[in-house]
Amino acid sequence: MISMGFTQSDIKKWPDQKCSDLYKAIGVFTSLAHKEWEKKNEEKGAIYASVAADYSNIYQTVCNK
């Protein structure tokens, strides 16, 4: 098992502008995923949805404190 060696207190909140940009990117990738699913391109839609989910996790970790 790999330990990252970080605790919750080690993670610093990002500046507001970076968090705002990240939040917008989540919206962009969510929208792209939706458009691809409407076109029945599930593989591409899943990729965009995965990126949105990854960015969301990052946002929750470094912006939503």
Side-chain angles (χ1 to χ4, degrees), residues 5-36:
F6 292 105
T7 65
Q8 187 69 16
S9 63
D10 291 338
I11 300 171
K12 304 292 185 231
K13 186 177 185 300
W14 283 8
D16 289 342
Q17 183 59 48
K18 286 186 179 185
C19 289
S20 177
D21 292 344
L22 183 57
Y23 187 82
K24 289 175 189 174
I26 295 166
V28 168
F29 281 105
T30 301
S31 177
L32 289 170
H34 179 72
K35 288 177 184 178
E36 291 302 323

Side-chain angles (χ1 to χ4, degrees), residues 18-62:
K18 286 186 179 185
C19 289
S20 177
D21 292 344
L22 183 57
Y23 187 82
K24 289 175 189 174
I26 295 166
V28 168
F29 281 105
T30 301
S31 177
L32 289 170
H34 179 72
K35 288 177 184 178
E36 291 302 323
W37 284 327
E38 285 182 333
K39 293 190 261 181
K40 307 295 184 211
N41 189 349
E42 294 175 3
E43 184 176 339
K44 206 171 199 181
I47 291 169
Y48 289 138
S50 178
V51 172
D54 290 344
Y55 282 7
S56 179
N57 286 332
I58 294 167
Y59 183 86
Q60 289 294 323
T61 301
V62 297

